[in-house]
Every structure is written in structure tokens, then in C-alpha cells.
Amino acid sequence: MNLPNLDRRDRSILNFLQENGRLTNAELAEKVSLSPSACLRRVKLLEESGLIAGYHMQLDMKACGLSGAAFVFVTLDGQGRETLARFERAIKHINEIQDCYLLAGQYDYLLRIVYRNAEDLERIHHDILTNLPGVVRVNSTLTLRAVKHTSKLEM
């Protein structure tokens, strides 16, 4: 199912599920004016098409004891495929690194990290980030508060 082939109901299903992935099929069917069986068929097709990549819940950072987030620009010692691959393999299982983006421009990567306090941030910077393969420079920017945080795409 290609994006241009989505009808109004498919788009509504995607929008409602992005707002609340815990909707029951019956609740979703009522919201989009479909029978539960027709709604379930459409959801299954949307999942099979790859448009629905998964269902996730989100924890509250502060409730988890994480008081801060930082964006970290990383510069590597080279741009070769193996250099990039070594770095990417190394960061995959570091829980403090929440997001990682390969960049075009002045820096090689942008990371979003989370930390408990100033000492934890120093530990992450000194013991983890600067010891990643190929890293020659890290430049961190601390967030004061999140003004907007979403993963919703308007359909």
C-alpha cells in the first residue's frame, strides 16, 4: 500500500493510532466509522505495508531519575565506511545514547544523550563518548527544557 493510495479512513487510522497506540480495535473502528472487522483488516494492511513500524510506550525521563538531555556533535578522524561502521556498532548498545544521526556538514554525527546529574554527564562524556572508536572531538549542548517533542507524522 503506497502512501498516495491511502484513503481518508486509512489516514484517520494512522493519525488516531499515532495519538494513542493503545486504542482498542473497537474504539478505533468507532472513531473512523468502520466495522471492527473492516478496521482490523485495514490496520493489518497498514502494518504489512511498513507504514506502521511499531507500537511504543514512552517513559517519563524525570520519573526514571534522568534530569537532563544533551545534544552532542561528534567529529571522527575519518569519513571512510569502516570508520563510520565502527562508530555506529559501538554506540548501538549504549543506553545513554537515545538517538544518533549521521550528518552532512561540519560534524559527522549528532547524538541525543540522557543523564542523571552533572556527575553522570561528566562520566558519559569522559568514559563513553571520548572513548568511542574514531572520535576526535565532541561538542555538547545541554537542553534547558523540551518545548516540543513528537514523533507524530501528519497523514
Side-chain angles (χ1 to χ4, degrees):
M1 184 177 299
N2 293 330
L3 193 58
N5 296 336
L6 297 178
D7 65 15
R8 179 183 53 82
R9 284 203 173 109
D10 290 330
R11 291 175 192 278
S12 291
I13 288 170
L14 293 170
N15 285 327
F16 281 121
L17 286 175
Q18 284 185 94
E19 289 174 16
N20 182 359
R22 292 187 62 161
L23 284 173
T24 67
N25 184 60
E27 292 168 333
L28 181 60
E30 184 176 325
K31 288 181 178 291
V32 298
S33 303
L34 286 171
S35 70
S37 60
C39 184
L40 186 58
R41 269 193 308 276
R42 284 179 181 248
V43 170
K44 293 289 184 203
L45 285 172
L46 292 166
E47 290 171 344
E48 290 168 8
S49 76
L51 277 171
I52 297 176
Y55 299 87
H56 309 278
M57 69 98 170
Q58 183 176 335
L59 296 174
D60 182 272
M61 279 183 47
K62 290 201 187 327
C64 292
L66 299 166
S67 66
F71 289 93
V72 180
F73 293 98
V74 175
T75 304
L76 300 181
D77 59 8
Q79 298 271 319
R81 285 184 189 204
E82 185 51 37
T83 302
L84 300 178
R86 274 194 340 262
F87 176 83
E88 291 174 14
R89 279 192 305 271
I91 62 103
K92 290 280 187 192
H93 303 289
I94 299 172
N95 293 332
E96 294 90 347
I97 299 174
Q98 296 286 292
D99 297 305
C100 176
Y101 302 94
L102 177 63
L103 302 176
Q106 180 179 1
Y107 302 102
D108 296 313
Y109 288 93
L110 173 63
L111 310 177
R112 183 176 61 86
I113 65 165
V114 293
Y115 57 91
R116 290 191 245 357
N117 52 38
E119 292 81 20
D120 193 38
L121 178 59
E122 182 179 2
R123 176 193 62 82
I124 294 166
H125 176 85
H126 183 267
D127 297 343
I128 297 174
L129 299 177
T130 58
N131 288 313
L132 288 167
V135 170
V136 294
R137 186 174 303 109
V138 295
N139 184 342
S140 299
T141 301
L142 305 183
T143 65
L144 298 177
R145 66 182 163 96
V147 176
K148 179 179 180 178
H149 178 76
T150 186
S151 60
K152 183 177 180 186
L153 302 173
E154 193 61 40
M155 297 306 298

CSV table of all heavy atoms in Angstrom, one decimal, residues 51-95:
chain,number,residue,atom,x,y,z
A,51,LEU,N,4.1,1.0,6.8
A,51,LEU,CA,3.7,2.3,7.3
A,51,LEU,C,3.7,2.4,8.8
A,51,LEU,O,4.1,3.3,9.4
A,51,LEU,CB,2.4,2.8,6.7
A,51,LEU,CG,2.5,3.4,5.3
A,51,LEU,CD1,1.1,3.7,4.7
A,51,LEU,CD2,3.3,4.7,5.3
A,52,ILE,N,3.1,1.3,9.4
A,52,ILE,CA,3.2,1.2,10.8
A,52,ILE,C,4.4,0.4,11.2
A,52,ILE,O,4.5,-0.8,11.0
A,52,ILE,CB,1.9,0.6,11.4
A,52,ILE,CG1,0.7,1.4,11.1
A,52,ILE,CG2,2.0,0.3,12.9
A,52,ILE,CD1,-0.7,0.8,11.5
A,53,ALA,N,5.4,1.1,11.7
A,53,ALA,CA,6.7,0.5,12.0
A,53,ALA,C,6.7,-0.2,13.4
A,53,ALA,O,7.5,-1.1,13.6
A,53,ALA,CB,7.8,1.5,12.0
A,54,GLY,N,5.8,0.1,14.3
A,54,GLY,CA,5.7,-0.5,15.6
A,54,GLY,C,4.8,0.3,16.5
A,54,GLY,O,4.4,1.4,16.2
A,55,TYR,N,4.7,-0.2,17.7
A,55,TYR,CA,3.9,0.5,18.8
A,55,TYR,C,4.8,0.6,20.0
A,55,TYR,O,5.5,-0.4,20.3
A,55,TYR,CB,2.7,-0.3,19.1
A,55,TYR,CG,1.7,-0.5,18.0
A,55,TYR,CD1,1.9,-1.6,17.1
A,55,TYR,CD2,0.7,0.4,17.8
A,55,TYR,CE1,1.0,-1.8,16.0
A,55,TYR,CE2,-0.2,0.2,16.7
A,55,TYR,CZ,0.0,-0.9,15.8
A,55,TYR,OH,-0.9,-1.0,14.8
A,56,HIS,N,4.9,1.8,20.5
A,56,HIS,CA,5.9,2.1,21.6
A,56,HIS,C,5.2,2.8,22.7
A,56,HIS,O,4.3,3.6,22.5
A,56,HIS,CB,7.0,2.9,21.1
A,56,HIS,CG,7.7,2.3,19.9
A,56,HIS,ND1,8.6,1.3,19.9
A,56,HIS,CD2,7.5,2.6,18.6
A,56,HIS,CE1,9.0,0.9,18.7
A,56,HIS,NE2,8.3,1.7,17.8
A,57,MET,N,5.7,2.6,23.9
A,57,MET,CA,5.3,3.5,25.0
A,57,MET,C,6.5,4.3,25.4
A,57,MET,O,7.6,4.0,25.1
A,57,MET,CB,4.7,2.7,26.2
A,57,MET,CG,5.7,1.8,26.9
A,57,MET,SD,6.3,2.6,28.4
A,57,MET,CE,7.1,1.2,29.0
A,58,GLN,N,6.2,5.4,26.0
A,58,GLN,CA,7.3,6.4,26.3
A,58,GLN,C,7.4,6.6,27.8
A,58,GLN,O,6.3,6.9,28.5
A,58,GLN,CB,7.1,7.7,25.6
A,58,GLN,CG,8.1,8.7,25.8
A,58,GLN,CD,7.8,10.0,25.0
A,58,GLN,OE1,7.1,9.9,24.0
A,58,GLN,NE2,8.3,11.1,25.4
A,59,LEU,N,8.6,6.4,28.4
A,59,LEU,CA,8.7,6.7,29.8
A,59,LEU,C,9.0,8.1,30.1
A,59,LEU,O,9.6,8.8,29.3
A,59,LEU,CB,9.9,5.8,30.4
A,59,LEU,CG,9.7,4.3,30.3
A,59,LEU,CD1,11.0,3.6,30.7
A,59,LEU,CD2,8.6,3.8,31.1
A,60,ASP,N,8.6,8.6,31.3
A,60,ASP,CA,8.9,10.0,31.7
A,60,ASP,C,10.4,10.0,32.2
A,60,ASP,O,10.7,9.3,33.1
A,60,ASP,CB,7.9,10.4,32.8
A,60,ASP,CG,8.2,11.8,33.2
A,60,ASP,OD1,9.0,12.0,34.1
A,60,ASP,OD2,7.6,12.7,32.6
A,61,MET,N,11.2,10.9,31.6
A,61,MET,CA,12.6,10.9,32.0
A,61,MET,C,12.8,11.2,33.5
A,61,MET,O,13.6,10.6,34.1
A,61,MET,CB,13.3,12.1,31.2
A,61,MET,CG,13.7,11.6,29.8
A,61,MET,SD,14.7,13.0,28.9
A,61,MET,CE,15.8,13.5,30.1
A,62,LYS,N,12.1,12.2,34.0
A,62,LYS,CA,12.3,12.6,35.4
A,62,LYS,C,11.8,11.5,36.3
A,62,LYS,O,12.5,11.3,37.3
A,62,LYS,CB,11.5,13.9,35.7
A,62,LYS,CG,12.1,15.1,35.0
A,62,LYS,CD,11.7,16.4,35.6
A,62,LYS,CE,12.1,17.6,34.9
A,62,LYS,NZ,13.4,17.6,34.2
A,63,ALA,N,10.7,10.8,36.0
A,63,ALA,CA,10.3,9.7,36.8
A,63,ALA,C,11.3,8.6,36.8
A,63,ALA,O,11.4,7.8,37.8
A,63,ALA,CB,8.9,9.2,36.3
A,64,CYS,N,12.1,8.5,35.8
A,64,CYS,CA,13.2,7.5,35.7
A,64,CYS,C,14.5,7.9,36.3
A,64,CYS,O,15.5,7.2,36.2
A,64,CYS,CB,13.4,7.1,34.2
A,64,CYS,SG,12.1,6.2,33.4
A,65,GLY,N,14.5,9.1,36.9
A,65,GLY,CA,15.7,9.6,37.5
A,65,GLY,C,16.7,10.3,36.6
A,65,GLY,O,17.8,10.5,36.9
A,66,LEU,N,16.2,10.7,35.4
A,66,LEU,CA,17.1,11.3,34.4
A,66,LEU,C,16.7,12.8,34.4
A,66,LEU,O,15.6,13.2,34.0
A,66,LEU,CB,16.9,10.7,33.0
A,66,LEU,CG,17.3,9.2,33.0
A,66,LEU,CD1,16.8,8.6,31.7
A,66,LEU,CD2,18.8,9.1,33.1
A,67,SER,N,17.6,13.7,34.8
A,67,SER,CA,17.3,15.1,34.9
A,67,SER,C,17.6,15.9,33.7
A,67,SER,O,17.1,17.0,33.6
A,67,SER,CB,17.9,15.7,36.1
A,67,SER,OG,19.3,15.7,35.9
A,68,GLY,N,18.4,15.3,32.8
A,68,GLY,CA,18.8,16.1,31.6
A,68,GLY,C,19.0,15.4,30.4
A,68,GLY,O,19.1,14.2,30.3
A,69,ALA,N,19.0,16.2,29.3
A,69,ALA,CA,19.3,15.6,28.0
A,69,ALA,C,20.3,16.6,27.3
A,69,ALA,O,20.3,17.8,27.6
A,69,ALA,CB,18.1,15.5,27.1
A,70,ALA,N,21.1,16.1,26.5
A,70,ALA,CA,22.1,16.9,25.8
A,70,ALA,C,22.2,16.4,24.3
A,70,ALA,O,22.0,15.3,24.0
A,70,ALA,CB,23.5,16.8,26.4
A,71,PHE,N,22.5,17.4,23.5
A,71,PHE,CA,22.8,17.0,22.1
A,71,PHE,C,24.3,17.1,21.9
A,71,PHE,O,24.9,18.1,22.3
A,71,PHE,CB,22.0,18.0,21.1
A,71,PHE,CG,20.5,17.7,21.1
A,71,PHE,CD1,19.7,18.4,22.0
A,71,PHE,CD2,20.0,16.7,20.3
A,71,PHE,CE1,18.3,18.2,22.0
A,71,PHE,CE2,18.6,16.5,20.3
A,71,PHE,CZ,17.8,17.2,21.1
A,72,VAL,N,24.9,16.1,21.3
A,72,VAL,CA,26.3,16.1,21.2
A,72,VAL,C,26.7,15.9,19.8
A,72,VAL,O,26.3,15.0,19.1
A,72,VAL,CB,26.9,14.9,22.0
A,72,VAL,CG1,28.4,14.8,21.9
A,72,VAL,CG2,26.4,14.9,23.5
A,73,PHE,N,27.5,16.9,19.3
A,73,PHE,CA,28.0,16.8,17.9
A,73,PHE,C,29.4,16.0,18.0
A,73,PHE,O,30.2,16.4,18.9
A,73,PHE,CB,28.3,18.2,17.4
A,73,PHE,CG,27.0,18.9,17.1
A,73,PHE,CD1,26.5,19.8,18.0
A,73,PHE,CD2,26.2,18.7,16.0
A,73,PHE,CE1,25.3,20.5,17.8
A,73,PHE,CE2,25.0,19.4,15.7
A,73,PHE,CZ,24.6,20.3,16.6
A,74,VAL,N,29.5,15.1,17.2
A,74,VAL,CA,30.7,14.2,17.2
A,74,VAL,C,31.5,14.4,15.9
A,74,VAL,O,30.9,14.3,14.8
A,74,VAL,CB,30.3,12.7,17.4
A,74,VAL,CG1,31.6,11.8,17.3
A,74,VAL,CG2,29.6,12.6,18.7
A,75,THR,N,32.8,14.5,16.0
A,75,THR,CA,33.7,14.6,14.8
A,75,THR,C,34.6,13.4,14.9
A,75,THR,O,35.2,13.1,16.0
A,75,THR,CB,34.5,15.8,14.8
A,75,THR,OG1,33.7,17.0,14.8
A,75,THR,CG2,35.4,15.9,13.6
A,76,LEU,N,34.7,12.6,13.8
A,76,LEU,CA,35.5,11.4,13.7
A,76,LEU,C,36.8,11.8,13.0
A,76,LEU,O,37.0,12.8,12.3
A,76,LEU,CB,34.8,10.3,13.0
A,76,LEU,CG,33.5,9.8,13.6
A,76,LEU,CD1,32.9,8.7,12.7
A,76,LEU,CD2,33.7,9.4,15.0
A,77,ASP,N,37.8,10.8,13.1
A,77,ASP,CA,39.1,11.0,12.5
A,77,ASP,C,39.1,10.7,11.0
A,77,ASP,O,40.1,10.8,10.3
A,77,ASP,CB,40.2,10.2,13.2
A,77,ASP,CG,39.9,8.7,13.2
A,77,ASP,OD1,38.9,8.3,12.6
A,77,ASP,OD2,40.6,8.0,13.9
A,78,GLY,N,38.0,10.3,10.5
A,78,GLY,CA,37.9,10.0,9.0
A,78,GLY,C,36.4,9.8,8.6
A,78,GLY,O,35.5,9.7,9.5
A,79,GLN,N,36.2,9.7,7.3
A,79,GLN,CA,34.9,9.5,6.8
A,79,GLN,C,34.7,8.2,6.1
A,79,GLN,O,33.7,8.0,5.5
A,79,GLN,CB,34.6,10.6,5.8
A,79,GLN,CG,34.6,12.0,6.4
A,79,GLN,CD,33.3,12.4,6.9
A,79,GLN,OE1,32.3,12.2,6.3
A,79,GLN,NE2,33.2,13.1,8.0
A,80,GLY,N,35.7,7.3,6.1
A,80,GLY,CA,35.6,6.0,5.5
A,80,GLY,C,34.5,5.2,6.0
A,80,GLY,O,34.1,5.3,7.2
A,81,ARG,N,34.0,4.3,5.2
A,81,ARG,CA,32.9,3.4,5.6
A,81,ARG,C,33.2,2.6,6.8
A,81,ARG,O,32.4,2.5,7.7
A,81,ARG,CB,32.6,2.4,4.5
A,81,ARG,CG,31.8,3.1,3.3
A,81,ARG,CD,31.4,2.1,2.3
A,81,ARG,NE,30.9,2.8,1.2
A,81,ARG,CZ,30.0,2.4,0.3
A,81,ARG,NH1,29.6,1.1,0.4
A,81,ARG,NH2,29.6,3.1,-0.7
A,82,GLU,N,34.5,2.1,6.9
A,82,GLU,CA,34.8,1.3,8.1
A,82,GLU,C,34.9,2.1,9.4
A,82,GLU,O,34.4,1.7,10.4
A,82,GLU,CB,36.1,0.5,7.9
A,82,GLU,CG,36.4,-0.4,9.0
A,82,GLU,CD,35.3,-1.4,9.4
A,82,GLU,OE1,34.5,-1.9,8.6
A,82,GLU,OE2,35.2,-1.7,10.7
A,83,THR,N,35.3,3.4,9.3
A,83,THR,CA,35.4,4.3,10.4
A,83,THR,C,34.0,4.6,10.9
A,83,THR,O,33.7,4.5,12.1
A,83,THR,CB,36.1,5.6,10.0
A,83,THR,OG1,37.4,5.3,9.5
A,83,THR,CG2,36.1,6.6,11.1
A,84,LEU,N,33.1,4.8,9.9
A,84,LEU,CA,31.7,5.1,10.3
A,84,LEU,C,31.0,3.8,10.9
A,84,LEU,O,30.3,3.9,11.9
A,84,LEU,CB,30.9,5.6,9.1
A,84,LEU,CG,31.3,6.9,8.4
A,84,LEU,CD1,30.5,7.2,7.2
A,84,LEU,CD2,31.4,8.0,9.4
A,85,ALA,N,31.3,2.7,10.3
A,85,ALA,CA,30.7,1.4,10.8
A,85,ALA,C,31.2,1.1,12.2
A,85,ALA,O,30.4,0.6,13.0
A,85,ALA,CB,31.0,0.3,9.8
A,86,ARG,N,32.5,1.3,12.5
A,86,ARG,CA,33.0,1.0,13.8
A,86,ARG,C,32.3,1.9,14.8
A,86,ARG,O,31.9,1.4,15.9
A,86,ARG,CB,34.5,1.3,13.8
A,86,ARG,CG,35.3,0.1,13.4
A,86,ARG,CD,36.8,0.2,13.8
A,86,ARG,NE,37.3,1.5,14.0
A,86,ARG,CZ,38.0,2.3,13.2
A,86,ARG,NH1,38.2,1.9,11.9
A,86,ARG,NH2,38.4,3.5,13.5
A,87,PHE,N,32.1,3.2,14.5
A,87,PHE,CA,31.5,4.1,15.5
A,87,PHE,C,30.0,3.7,15.7
A,87,PHE,O,29.6,3.6,16.8
A,87,PHE,CB,31.5,5.5,14.9
A,87,PHE,CG,30.8,6.5,15.8
A,87,PHE,CD1,31.4,7.1,16.9
A,87,PHE,CD2,29.5,6.9,15.4
A,87,PHE,CE1,30.7,8.0,17.7
A,87,PHE,CE2,28.8,7.8,16.2
A,87,PHE,CZ,29.4,8.3,17.4
A,88,GLU,N,29.3,3.4,14.6
A,88,GLU,CA,27.9,3.0,14.7
A,88,GLU,C,27.7,1.7,15.5
A,88,GLU,O,26.8,1.6,16.2
A,88,GLU,CB,27.3,2.9,13.3
A,88,GLU,CG,27.2,4.3,12.7
A,88,GLU,CD,26.7,4.3,11.2
A,88,GLU,OE1,26.2,3.3,10.8
A,88,GLU,OE2,26.8,5.4,10.6
A,89,ARG,N,28.6,0.7,15.3
A,89,ARG,CA,28.5,-0.5,16.0
A,89,ARG,C,28.7,-0.3,17.5
A,89,ARG,O,28.0,-0.8,18.4
A,89,ARG,CB,29.5,-1.5,15.5
A,89,ARG,CG,29.1,-2.3,14.3
A,89,ARG,CD,30.0,-3.5,14.0
A,89,ARG,NE,31.5,-3.1,13.9
A,89,ARG,CZ,32.1,-2.8,12.8
A,89,ARG,NH1,31.4,-2.7,11.6
A,89,ARG,NH2,33.4,-2.5,12.8
A,90,ALA,N,29.6,0.6,17.8
A,90,ALA,CA,30.0,0.9,19.2
A,90,ALA,C,28.9,1.6,20.0
A,90,ALA,O,28.7,1.3,21.2
A,90,ALA,CB,31.3,1.7,19.3
A,91,ILE,N,28.1,2.4,19.3
A,91,ILE,CA,27.0,3.2,20.0
A,91,ILE,C,25.7,2.4,20.2
A,91,ILE,O,24.9,2.8,20.9
A,91,ILE,CB,26.8,4.6,19.4
A,91,ILE,CG1,26.3,4.5,18.0
A,91,ILE,CG2,28.0,5.4,19.4
A,91,ILE,CD1,24.8,4.7,17.9
A,92,LYS,N,25.6,1.3,19.4
A,92,LYS,CA,24.3,0.6,19.4
A,92,LYS,C,23.7,0.2,20.7
A,92,LYS,O,22.6,0.3,21.0
A,92,LYS,CB,24.4,-0.6,18.5
A,92,LYS,CG,24.5,-0.3,17.0
A,92,LYS,CD,23.2,0.0,16.4
A,92,LYS,CE,23.4,0.1,14.9
A,92,LYS,NZ,22.3,0.6,14.2
A,93,HIS,N,24.6,-0.2,21.6
A,93,HIS,CA,24.2,-0.7,22.9
A,93,HIS,C,24.5,0.2,24.1
A,93,HIS,O,24.5,-0.3,25.3
A,93,HIS,CB,24.8,-2.1,23.1
A,93,HIS,CG,24.4,-3.0,22.0
A,93,HIS,ND1,23.1,-3.5,21.8
A,93,HIS,CD2,25.1,-3.5,21.0
A,93,HIS,CE1,23.1,-4.3,20.8
A,93,HIS,NE2,24.3,-4.3,20.2
A,94,ILE,N,24.7,1.5,23.8
A,94,ILE,CA,25.0,2.4,24.9
A,94,ILE,C,23.6,3.1,25.3
A,94,ILE,O,23.1,3.9,24.5
A,94,ILE,CB,26.0,3.5,24.5
A,94,ILE,CG1,27.4,2.7,24.2
A,94,ILE,CG2,26.2,4.5,25.6
A,94,ILE,CD1,28.4,3.7,23.6
A,95,ASN,N,23.1,2.7,26.4
A,95,ASN,CA,21.8,3.1,26.8
A,95,ASN,C,21.6,4.7,26.9
A,95,ASN,O,20.6,5.2,26.7
A,95,ASN,CB,21.3,2.5,28.1
A,95,ASN,CG,21.1,1.0,27.9
A,95,ASN,OD1,20.8,0.5,26.8
A,95,ASN,ND2,21.3,0.2,29.0
